[in-house]
Amino acid sequence: RARILRHNIFYTLGIISTFFLLATIIIILKKFGTVVGWGFQLQSPNFIATMIIALFVFSLNLFGLFEFVTPGGSKLGNLQTGDNLWGDFLGGVLATILSTPCSAPFLGTALTFAFTSESYIIFAVFFMIGIGLAFPFILTGIYPGLVSFLPKPGNWMNTLKKLLGITLILTIFWLFDVYNTLVGGQNHLIKLLTALLFIFVGFLLIKKEKWIGRVSFLISIFLAVNLMN
């Protein structure tokens, strides 16, 4: 039991260390952005529009319209780590990297929030995300017998993803209200809605009609850039 707990703790440390590294990168980018005058804040219409587009893309992922892919994921997935504490730590790092296709919507949402927060809040958010990912290992490290009670993978996971996708859509509705207050005109709203429509069409058709999907993405990019000017 002590050996299992030891292995799981180092696996958890690998996960949390990776999220701390990500939080550090975000803080550095945020500091650099402040220097060059990006001005990311909830009073910026461009930032709100960017958040709406990002959350919309993440919600489409949760609804199963497309999947995020980890670059080099197949090679990383075949890596073998040693049966020791260092190997457990590296296993936690690899698990964090390889889980990004599933966690991207939540990490992306956290990233957009991070640019509006203080450094300690960024660390707190990513620490809690890491704890969430590692929680089953922490729990089974303390109580190994709980392994038999953990839910098995199944269709319930897809249902949960769709429910979480609905929460992102509701967030988008709220952001639209904020955006409308900031721009005070229908022209910007129409452009933003049209951009979201072409993003949806792009993801919907990219596998069957690649050229139509690509054209839709190009139109959405053009509308988004025009919106920011």
Side-chain angles (χ1 to χ4, degrees):
R1 184 172 178 175
R3 181 173 174 272
I4 292 172
L5 178 61
R6 209 164 37 242
H7 281 295
N8 286 20
I9 286 174
F10 274 83
Y11 191 88
T12 299
L13 288 175
I15 292 173
I16 293 175
S17 297
T18 307
F19 278 108
F20 271 1
L21 177 61
L22 179 59
T24 302
I25 293 171
I26 295 303
I27 290 171
I28 292 171
L29 289 175
K30 185 188 173 194
K31 296 295 183 185
F32 178 74
T34 302
V35 171
V36 299
W38 283 354
F40 281 143
Q41 52 184 319
L42 286 174
Q43 285 73 38
S44 167
N46 288 347
F47 182 59
I48 297 296
T50 302
M51 287 182 68
I52 289 173
I53 293 171
L55 292 182
F56 183 69
V57 171
F58 296 142
S59 67
L60 294 182
N61 169 258
L62 290 174
F63 287 123
L65 204 62
F66 75 98
E67 297 295 335
F68 287 105
V69 178
T70 305
S74 58
K75 293 182 179 178
L76 287 174
N78 292 326
L79 286 179
Q80 298 294 322
T81 56
D83 187 19
N84 51 50
L85 298 182
W86 175 243
D88 294 326
F89 182 88
L90 289 179
V93 173
L94 285 175
T96 307
I97 296 171
L98 294 173
S99 69
T100 50
C102 298
S103 60
F106 313 104
L107 289 178
T109 306
L111 286 173
T112 54
F113 172 76
F115 279 110
T116 66
S117 308
E118 297 295 331
S119 298
Y120 73 93
I121 295 179
I122 296 174
F123 271 111
V125 168
F126 281 89
F127 174 72
M128 293 310 295
I129 295 173
I131 289 293
L133 181 60
F135 187 70
F137 299 95
I138 298 172
L139 206 57
T140 54
I142 300 172
Y143 304 105
L146 288 177
V147 171
S148 59
F149 292 98
L150 290 177
K152 300 293 187 292
N155 194 52
W156 67 269
M157 299 171 71
N158 291 322
T159 304
L160 179 61
K161 281 180 66 176
K162 290 172 184 176
L163 289 173
L164 293 171
I166 291 173
T167 65
L168 289 189
I169 294 294
L170 293 173
T171 305
I172 291 170
F173 280 127
W174 171 71
L175 287 174
F176 259 116
D177 185 57
V178 176
Y179 185 72
N180 186 43
T181 303
L182 292 173
V183 297
Q186 298 298 317
N187 188 39
H188 286 75
L189 284 176
I190 292 172
K191 284 183 180 178
L192 183 54
L193 283 170
T194 307
L196 296 182
L197 176 62
F198 277 106
I199 289 172
F200 174 76
V201 172
F203 281 118
L204 187 65
L205 299 178
I206 193 66
K207 291 182 179 179
K208 296 179 180 178
E209 301 287 347
K210 287 188 177 181
W211 71 272
I212 298 179
R214 289 169 182 170
V215 170
S216 294
F217 284 134
L218 287 174
I219 293 173
S220 66
I221 291 171
F222 171 78
L223 288 169
V225 171
N226 184 263
L227 189 69
M228 304 297 175
N229 294 329

